[in-house]
Amino acid sequence: MDLILCHTTADFDALGAAVGLTRLLSGSKIVLTGGSHPPVRDFLALHRDEYPLIERRSVSPEKIRSLTVVDTQHRDRLGKAAQWLDLPAVKEIIVYDHHLGQESDIPATRSHIDSVGATTTLIVEQLQQQEISLTAAEATVMALGIHVDTGSLTYDQSTARDALALAWLMQQGASLSVISTYRDPGLSLQLQQLLTESLESLESFCLHGYTVAWVTLKTEAFVPGLSSLASELVELTEIDALLLANEYPLGEEDSRLTVIGRSQIPKTNLNLLFQLLGGGGHSQAASLNLREVDSQAILKQLLDGIKAQIPHPLTARDLMSSPVRTILPETTIAEAQRILLRYGHSGLFVVDSQGQLVGIISRRDIDIALHHGFSHAPVKGYMTKNLKTITPDTTLPQIESVMVTYDIGRLPVLENEQLMGIVTRTDVLRELHQERDEDQEGQKFKIQNDAHRLANAALTKSKIPLSTELQNRLAPQLWQLLTTASQEAEKRGWHLYLVGGAVRDLLLAEATSGTLMIKDIDLVVDGFHKSADVGAGVELAKALQQLYPAARLEIHGAFQTAALLWHKDPELDSLWVDIATARTEFYPYPAANPEVEASSIRQDLYRRDFTINAIALRLTSPRTGELLDFFGGLLDLQAKQIRVLHANSFIEDPTRIFRGVRFAVRFGFEIEPQTEEFIRYAINSGVYDRTAQENSKTPALQTRLKTELKHILEATYWKSALQLLDNLGALQCIHPTLKLDPELLRKLRLLESCLRRFDPQPTLIHWEMRLEALIAHLTPQYRAKVAKNLQLQEDGIQRLQNLACAQTEVMESLPKCQSPSQVVQLLRQYDLPMLILIAVQSPRSLRHQIWEYLTVWANVQPLLNGNDLKKLGYKPGPQYRQILDDMLAATLDGVIKDQTEAKEFLVRHYPK
């Protein structure tokens, strides 16, 4: 006998899943282990004969071969039927459920547990796979199961899979009229009376703008349908969370407590709270049953748990951008336009000499003034006065209300009459959109095992619980460092973020536990809500250096950033941690170093190069673990594409082209089509040539370009990166004539052969040799100039400057050499890097001789040395060098082959 067990007080989801399983498990029977919900009981009163149900008392336990449990993972929810789980004759126990994160005590041989709105959905998917059709009665009860457990697809746990399952059941003939009758059957007379009592006795409190209510009902016996009563209470009172408790006697000395929980508060999870007391359910709907307990103590514990889960409401302090660009009333329209252009704002606040806010002027106001020829007029004649303002503690709902009521797109944030920041309509819309996304995803951000692939990346802001995902992924010592840094920032009232590549690599890393040791970390301090100045990052770095004295502290004054460096530390190995204050930047001209100013984390992310690098992870409370992604970086990680943030990004900084190529090749990503267009436009515009001619310092074409070339040429993927750079025309940034033509590719292959053969234990810096080979491909007149521009080492510059002369000499003289000694005499005047560069530039015949020199002849030593000459009676002096050189030549040419012949050679040519 194969049985399908529904949990006690069976609901439509349990019944619908069980009915579907009878089609998958031919000949199986359904057992309702202990009662059912009133709507289910009423439904079965008319439709029982449509389904293979049997009573528990009619089962012969010795005949049970398999058990399939639906919609629960706990044996205590199976009533007396739980005894069957321990029968030795039962060979298979299967569990189907949709409640994740529960510890099952059922000894299942197979489990089917997945995050969908209803267990019935899992059964429907298997029926579809096996192409099993249903009767109308079967489809109807299964559709009821999905409708009731998902609130007709309105509950947060609902998924697209539930919707597809419902659509298929409709195709199978599910009756909509029957579904509408039993999905919301209304309250029984008893429940209506309890509803009136509940409304009179309901207690509540408000916290962070949310209302939480509770009520305790005492009845003479168990009351079926309390979940319907709870839903009705929530709908009638418009409360945000409810705990409905029912106390009733069970026998003469025993009592039972049932608690039904409902919550519409984002980020609360009733399932976790109720599980602590032996109950469970979903994040927004859960229940529990207890015997002989203090009902008021249980309610207090649950209410305290809800209080702890209620999120702090977002305030203007969390949303605002700061500092705010302000101008004086006397500022001209032309100057205001220049400021808007520099910072990319759509409006500017106007303050008086005491810093008091007196008005705002928008880009549209400025454009109109310019159109009418008033570029020299002061902005006070065009600004808007009588502004609506908010404080840093104004909540998000209040901000939304003001914007809607007065149709205002930007609100200044004032504290003690001083302008602290600005909240825009975009800030509010983004936050509301992100909250909806979080709710739809169940606040879960999942990183797949497959590297470079993300699930649920449609979120623009997500939350990785630091106690799980982040802490478990990172090496413990690195996690401790980040924790310490966040604590030091919190002491000063600042926010601290992990930003850029470290966050990207964390998201892309394979899910290995406690092994991720990121070598390069960027931290950003955002403290403008606490009036932190541009030196906040340096202050935090100094504080950390006191706690980690093994780290070397470097401070970069120009940008007010600091770095902590560990070198071969026993715990942190070679780690580099950059700490900066959140800042914005402006490029005075293309390829220049940017001018930076302190700013907020949003503006700091906005100044970055690519979306996948403009992601930040908050390390400080109260929103610890929040992932900030304002520009779609997660979506681009999922799409495996490199997308630039700004259209003019490559014109301002050509090194971003090389970074973009490096990331694309390193991760196996594609450069997004419009980003590629921006790259080609910047290169073909000639802006880099003009900039280099007009400005003596162009760091993005000099030192910063060299740094990017270093990163590329020392990586294993350097060949692919060069090919992509050439395809984009980006090698022109090194020199306008440089192309990766077949001849250069041949030279690079020869270079690699030489480096492998002649420098196997690297004594040369191989990436520099590759860069020199690229520069050496240019005509001689450009080589030294390019090398100096990229600020190569002095010996490299000299080598490239002298390469043409050295190559000419070798090419003319080497063919004339008649013996090995002549070859050695010619070539030993050049060091190994020069010989390698000459070799890759030379024809095969000469290259073969250079190769033989380096592999054989350069390693030959005279058969006698200076000590031998001294023992033979030769007086030390300048003559020694000539003797040894002649002896080496004779050895190379085969004139002498051993020490005896060497001594005879001495007697003949250097008699005493």
Side-chain angles (χ1 to χ4, degrees):
M1 180 179 289
D2 300 313
L3 299 181
I4 301 167
L5 306 182
C6 297
H7 55 71
T8 55
T9 318
D11 56 16
F12 273 116
D13 188 29
L15 179 61
V19 169
L21 278 168
T22 62
R23 299 302 308 275
L24 290 170
L25 306 172
S26 180
S28 58
K29 305 295 183 182
I30 302 171
V31 177
L32 301 179
T33 61
S36 58
H37 281 194
V40 175
R41 180 195 61 210
D42 295 343
F43 175 84
L44 288 176
L46 291 176
H47 300 85
R48 177 179 293 273
D49 294 340
E50 303 286 346
Y51 315 115
L53 287 109
I54 61 174
E55 295 186 7
R56 178 178 55 82
R57 61 186 176 182
S58 66
V59 174
S60 299
E62 65 275 7
K63 295 182 179 181
I64 301 175
R65 295 181 304 175
S66 71
L67 295 169
T68 301
V69 181
V70 294
D71 204 34
T72 184
Q73 299 172 56
H74 301 288
R75 61 190 300 147
D76 63 359
R77 294 205 65 198
L78 298 177
K80 293 183 179 180
Q83 301 169 1
W84 299 341
L85 297 171
D86 304 319
L87 294 173
V90 176
K91 302 301 181 184
E92 186 172 38
I93 300 175
I94 307 170
V95 172
Y96 284 86
D97 194 22
H98 68 127
H99 301 97
L100 294 181
Q102 298 194 5
E103 292 186 11
S104 176
D105 56 3
I106 294 176
T109 55
R110 281 192 291 136
S111 295
H112 301 272
I113 303 170
D114 208 347
S115 179
V116 289
T119 302
T120 304
T121 297
L122 303 176
I123 312 303
V124 169
E125 291 174 341
Q126 292 195 11
L127 290 167
Q128 288 178 283
Q129 290 171 6
Q130 298 186 30
E131 299 182 350
I132 297 174
S133 59
L134 304 176
T135 66
E138 291 166 341
T140 299
V141 71
M142 295 180 73
L144 268 168
I146 298 176
H147 269 289
V148 171
D149 245 37
T150 65
S152 295
L153 304 179
T154 62
Y155 294 165
D156 290 337
Q157 66 265 23
S158 305
T159 69
R161 293 166 63 183
D162 300 298
L164 292 172
L166 272 178
W168 184 78
L169 290 169
M170 290 179 66
Q171 292 175 338
Q172 297 295 304
S175 171
L176 296 181
S177 61
V178 173
I179 292 171
S180 64
T181 299
Y182 291 98
R183 184 184 66 83
D184 186 14
L187 299 180
S188 66
L189 181 60
Q190 182 184 20
L191 290 176
Q192 291 178 33
Q193 293 172 344
L194 290 175
L195 175 62
T196 301
E197 181 182 338
S198 299
L199 291 172
E200 293 174 352
S201 306
L202 202 65
E203 299 180 77
S204 65
F205 65 81
C206 287
L207 180 65
H208 301 324
Y210 297 106
T211 301
V212 179
W214 68 96
V215 65
T216 301
L217 302 174
K218 295 186 178 182
T219 59
E220 295 180 355
F222 168 72
V223 178
L226 284 176
S227 59
S228 299
L229 174 59
S231 299
E232 189 75 13
L233 271 173
V234 171
E235 185 173 342
L236 286 175
T237 58
E238 296 185 351
I239 56 180
D240 300 297
L242 169 69
L243 293 178
L244 173 63
N246 177 211
E247 278 188 286
Y248 56 94
L250 192 68
E252 294 183 0
E253 299 181 356
D254 197 1
S255 66
R256 177 166 287 191
L257 173 68
T258 296
V259 182
I260 306 292
R262 295 289 185 269
S263 176
Q264 301 178 82
I265 304 174
K267 300 182 178 67
T268 54
N269 191 326
L270 296 181
N271 181 44
L272 292 177
L273 291 179
F274 278 60
Q275 275 188 8
L276 296 174
L277 296 169
H282 301 288
S283 61
Q284 295 186 301
S287 64
L288 60 82
N289 291 286
L290 299 172
R291 285 188 174 186
E292 289 296 313
V293 294
D294 183 343
S295 62
Q296 296 309 304
I298 295 297
L299 272 179
K300 183 179 185 305
Q301 181 176 342
L302 291 173
L303 288 169
D304 288 343
I306 292 175
K307 285 180 182 178
Q309 287 187 347
I310 294 177
H312 288 265
L314 286 175
T315 63
R317 196 185 303 279
D318 300 306
L319 297 171
M320 69 184 186
S321 297
S322 63
V324 183
R325 306 296 162 195
T326 60
I327 54 177
L328 294 171
E330 293 75 25
T331 304
T332 66
I333 292 291
E335 177 63 13
Q337 183 199 36
R338 188 191 69 80
I339 295 172
L340 285 180
L341 176 64
R342 172 167 181 155
Y343 297 106
H345 294 340
S346 58
L348 292 170
F349 286 113
V350 185
V351 297
D352 60 21
S353 57
Q354 283 75 44
Q356 301 289 310
L357 182 66
V358 295
I360 185 174
I361 186 164
S362 69
R363 182 184 298 276
R364 184 174 182 274
D365 298 329
I366 291 174
D367 288 343
I368 291 174
L370 290 171
H371 176 72
H372 292 292
F374 292 100
S375 61
H376 298 292
V379 297
K380 63 183 178 182
Y382 294 87
M383 69 184 185
T384 300
K385 304 176 183 178
N386 302 320
L387 303 179
K388 293 293 180 183
T389 64
I390 55 178
T391 70
D393 296 322
T394 305
T395 64
L396 176 58
Q398 292 170 328
I399 295 170
E400 184 184 8
S401 177
V402 172
M403 285 185 169
V404 171
T405 301
Y406 298 101
D407 191 23
I408 298 173
R410 55 182 71 84
L411 287 170
V413 182
L414 300 185
E415 187 172 40
N416 299 324
E417 301 301 319
Q418 294 298 309
L419 184 61
M420 297 295 295
I422 178 175
V423 176
T424 68
R425 185 182 285 118
T426 301
D427 296 329
V428 172
L429 290 175
R430 180 188 289 119
E431 198 64 42
L432 293 174
H433 173 72
Q434 289 168 171
E435 284 186 356
R436 286 195 296 271
D437 281 346
E438 283 185 349
D439 293 341
Q440 291 168 4
E441 294 293 335
Q443 304 173 46
K444 183 180 67 174
F445 185 82
K446 178 183 176 184
I447 304 175
Q448 294 182 344
N449 289 342
D450 181 17
H452 314 324
R453 296 185 64 84
L454 294 172
N456 304 329
L459 294 178
T460 54
K461 179 185 70 178
S462 188
K463 187 166 183 176
I464 304 176
L466 292 190
S467 60
T468 53
E469 290 283 4
L470 180 57
Q471 183 175 359
N472 291 342
R473 274 177 175 277
L474 288 176
Q477 61 272 31
L478 190 54
W479 161 250
Q480 182 57 51
L481 173 64
L482 294 179
T483 301
T484 303
S486 66
Q487 291 169 348
E488 289 299 314
E490 286 179 350
K491 287 180 184 177
R492 294 159 174 81
W494 302 336
H495 301 318
L496 185 66
Y497 296 87
L498 180 68
V499 300
V503 182
R504 178 200 66 223
D505 293 345
L506 174 66
L507 295 174
L508 290 176
E510 295 191 22
T512 51
S513 178
T515 59
L516 189 59
M517 186 64 194
I518 301 172
K519 298 292 186 181
D520 193 350
I521 289 177
D522 286 324
L523 298 176
V524 169
V525 179
D526 184 357
F528 269 95
H529 63 294
K530 291 291 184 180
S531 301
D533 61 20
V534 73
V538 173
E539 181 180 337
L540 180 60
K542 289 179 178 178
L544 282 175
Q545 206 266 340
Q546 293 296 315
L547 299 172
Y548 289 89
R552 187 174 86 253
L553 175 65
E554 291 185 358
I555 297 176
H556 309 289
F559 302 105
Q560 278 296 287
T561 62
L564 292 172
L565 293 82
W566 287 262
H567 181 64
K568 295 183 178 180
D569 185 81
E571 290 189 353
L572 295 172
D573 196 17
S574 295
L575 175 66
W576 184 300
V577 178
D578 269 312
I579 306 177
T581 308
R583 62 194 193 270
T584 188
E585 61 186 24
F586 177 77
Y587 288 80
Y589 55 86
N593 275 332
E595 297 175 2
V596 298
E597 298 177 10
S599 186
S600 66
I601 184 64
R602 294 187 183 213
Q603 290 167 304
D604 190 275
L605 294 176
Y606 184 69
R607 71 181 179 83
R608 295 175 183 269
D609 47 15
F610 304 102
T611 58
I612 63 171
N613 295 330
I615 307 174
L617 181 69
R618 180 159 163 165
L619 300 175
T620 46
S621 60
R623 302 173 73 183
T624 306
E626 181 179 79
L627 197 66
L628 300 182
D629 174 30
F630 303 115
F631 313 109
L634 292 176
L635 285 172
D636 288 331
L637 284 174
Q638 183 187 40
K640 291 189 172 184
Q641 69 178 7
I642 305 297
R643 182 164 59 89
V644 75
L645 263 69
H646 319 290
N648 291 319
S649 186
F650 302 117
I651 288 178
E652 292 180 333
D653 187 354
T655 61
R656 287 174 175 158
I657 300 173
F658 289 75
R659 280 201 296 278
V661 166
R662 175 158 58 90
F663 295 138
V665 179
R666 173 184 169 189
F667 299 128
F669 285 14
E670 296 291 331
I671 295 178
E672 182 255 348
Q674 188 173 44
T675 297
E676 182 174 334
E677 289 181 16
F678 291 149
I679 291 174
R680 294 188 184 279
Y681 176 79
I683 292 170
N684 297 330
S685 68
V687 65
Y688 304 143
D689 291 336
R690 292 196 301 272
T691 297
Q693 292 171 8
E694 295 169 1
N695 301 277
S696 59
K697 292 183 65 176
T698 53
L701 293 170
Q702 297 171 326
T703 52
R704 298 212 311 272
L705 178 56
K706 175 191 171 185
T707 299
E708 285 304 319
L709 287 168
K710 173 183 182 292
H711 290 319
I712 288 173
L713 293 174
E714 69 183 0
T716 56
Y717 49 77
W718 66 270
K719 292 180 184 177
S720 299
L722 283 182
Q723 288 172 339
L724 181 53
L725 285 169
D726 181 64
N727 177 264
L728 294 169
L731 293 180
Q732 295 179 38
C733 294
I734 300 174
H735 191 269
T737 65
L738 185 60
K739 295 184 183 300
L740 195 65
D741 54 33
E743 177 62 16
L744 178 53
L745 284 171
R746 184 188 68 83
K747 291 176 181 178
L748 291 172
R749 285 195 296 270
L750 289 172
L751 174 70
E752 290 307 294
S753 297
C754 290
L755 291 175
R756 284 194 301 271
R757 182 65 182 85
F758 306 128
D759 196 35
Q761 304 296 327
T763 58
L764 305 178
I765 302 176
H766 287 196
W767 76 264
E768 288 186 349
M769 288 300 302
R770 292 173 188 133
L771 181 54
E772 288 185 28
L774 289 174
I775 298 172
H777 188 61
L778 301 172
T779 55
Q781 68 192 85
Y782 300 128
R783 293 170 181 168
K785 181 179 179 182
V786 171
K788 290 177 182 177
N789 184 63
L790 292 175
Q791 299 182 17
L792 268 61
Q793 299 287 344
E794 187 59 35
D795 61 339
I797 296 173
Q798 291 299 318
R799 189 158 41 247
L800 288 165
Q801 186 167 357
N802 299 330
L803 176 60
C805 292
Q807 184 178 354
T808 299
E809 181 181 2
V810 170
M811 293 184 69
E812 290 178 354
S813 303
L814 197 54
K816 299 176 183 178
C817 294
Q818 302 298 315
S819 63
S821 62
Q822 291 177 327
V823 173
V824 171
Q825 186 176 6
L826 173 65
L827 297 182
R828 69 181 178 184
Q829 61 183 309
Y830 305 112
D831 60 11
L832 177 60
M834 178 66 89
L835 285 175
I836 290 176
L837 289 181
I838 293 173
V840 300
Q841 306 275 340
S842 301
R844 179 177 297 180
S845 58
L846 296 185
R847 190 166 63 248
H848 177 75
Q849 287 182 283
I850 296 173
W851 187 284
E852 192 166 10
Y853 163 75
L854 290 172
T855 55
V856 180
W857 298 331
N859 299 317
V860 174
Q861 298 294 325
L863 292 173
L864 299 176
N865 57 32
N867 290 330
D868 296 325
L869 294 180
K870 190 174 182 180
K871 291 177 182 178
L872 291 172
Y874 289 88
K875 186 177 180 181
Q879 185 184 20
Y880 268 30
R881 180 173 182 81
Q882 184 63 48
I883 293 173
L884 293 175
D885 284 347
D886 290 346
M887 191 176 300
L888 174 60
T891 304
L892 287 165
D893 296 337
V895 174
I896 57 177
K897 300 180 180 61
D898 54 36
Q899 287 193 351
T900 301
E901 292 182 355
K903 293 175 182 178
E904 293 175 353
F905 178 86
L906 281 175
V907 172
R908 287 196 307 271
H909 294 86
Y910 294 96
K912 297 178 187 177

